[in-house]
Amino acid sequence: QVHLVESGGGVVQPGRSLRLSCAASGFTFSSYGVHWVRQAPGKGLEWVALISYDGSNKFYADSVKGRFTISRDNSNNTLYLQMNSLRGEDTAMYYCAKDSGVEAVAGEFDNWGQGILVTVSS
Amino acid sequence: QSALTQPASVSGSPGQSITISCTGTSSDVGSYKLVSWYQQHPGKVPKLMIYEVTKRPSGVSNRFSGSKSGNTASLTISGLQAEDEADYYCCSYAGSVSWVFGGGTKVTVL
């Protein structure tokens, strides 16, 4: 059974950095692309970033481009999101979500972690 | 990318059918057969209900169906049940390896 567990969230001041992790189990992590999707309190979902199954390709939403970096460690089945220059509008629940495509991006998110809350506030 | 447009709320009585619309543009919904729908109960994690416009993942009830016409995708829930009360989000591939979600629709079972 697919299991995704995020960690690393918390309260951080504007302009500071934070790194989120997502530990994966129950599937062949190295065969699937993984996304980060966020949800501001009381708001809708927003796609943030995608990393390909082998880590060779990374894509970002315009709202985070240049500030966030997605990466993965396939030897440890872990996904990361390095968030720099954080802003108040980055306050959200951050979910890691597995793409359904095997060694290719299918574009649907078939398994989600429980999410981790990031609050950017002074 | 601008968010896809969904009605804020839709309601129906048990047993009825409801349809949630999701309107995008020719750059997203209108250009790709890559529309998916997610159900999210309060305080819970989103769940994939429909992918590639019309396909249902294993385990999702056949009361849920999807369609698309032009720049608008739709999710229909037939035989509405109390457990269907949740927020529903559409999502479309938007080109250049990016995705855009709708603002969400709250479904209420009367």
Side-chain angles (χ1 to χ4, degrees):
Chain A
Q1 183 167 348
V2 173
H3 203 45
L4 300 166
V5 180
E6 301 91 341
S7 61
V11 180
V12 61
Q13 293 179 328
R16 304 299 289 265
S17 300
L18 204 61
R19 188 176 84 154
L20 305 183
S21 300
C22 171
S25 61
F27 67 104
T28 305
F29 182 69
S30 58
S31 293
Y32 293 88
V34 195
H35 304 258
W36 286 99
V37 177
R38 67 184 181 184
Q39 186 170 33
K43 302 296 184 182
L45 300 168
E46 179 188 14
W47 176 78
V48 173
L50 160 70
I51 187 166
S52 60
Y53 69 99
D54 60 356
S56 62
N57 294 292
K58 306 173 185 182
F59 305 92
Y60 301 92
D62 289 343
S63 58
V64 306
K65 201 171 294 182
R67 300 187 300 123
F68 289 12
T69 301
I70 190 171
S71 62
R72 66 190 295 161
D73 181 350
N74 283 348
S75 63
N76 286 309
N77 291 347
T78 304
L79 171 74
Y80 301 100
L81 185 68
Q82 177 67 42
M83 304 185 294
N84 298 334
S85 303
L86 282 162
R87 306 167 180 167
E89 55 263 38
D90 297 319
T91 294
M93 183 73 78
Y94 284 74
Y95 298 98
C96 57
K98 172 184 163 292
D99 192 276
S100 65
V102 180
E103 295 188 3
V105 176
E108 56 261 0
F109 320 113
D110 63 354
N111 288 275
W112 298 61
Q114 288 299 309
I116 191 74
L117 185 61
V118 172
T119 302
V120 183
S121 174
S122 54
Chain B
Q1 306 94 337
S2 298
L4 307 176
T5 300
Q6 297 181 234
S9 63
V10 173
S11 61
S13 299
Q16 285 187 329
S17 292
I18 61 169
T19 296
I20 303 168
S21 62
C22 169
T23 301
T25 69
S26 57
S27 298
D28 39 62
V29 175
S31 287
Y32 307 98
K33 292 186 71 175
L34 294 174
V35 176
S36 52
W37 290 89
Y38 300 85
Q39 175 193 64
Q40 187 179 33
H41 288 106
K44 299 299 185 181
V45 174
K47 175 186 176 183
L48 177 65
M49 304 300 285
I50 295 288
Y51 67 100
E52 293 180 10
V53 180
T54 62
K55 299 178 180 179
R56 270 189 317 275
S58 173
V60 171
S61 170
N62 59 9
R63 297 186 299 104
F64 292 84
S65 62
S67 63
K68 190 184 83 160
S69 178
N71 296 338
T72 298
S74 299
L75 174 72
T76 297
I77 309 174
S78 57
L80 198 62
Q81 298 180 1
E83 67 206 49
D84 300 331
E85 190 162 287
D87 292 327
Y88 291 82
Y89 294 91
C90 61
C91 180
S92 175
Y93 181 67
S96 302
V97 198
S98 67
W99 286 264
V100 60
F101 282 92
T105 297
K106 181 177 179 60
V107 168
T108 301
V109 181
L110 301 172

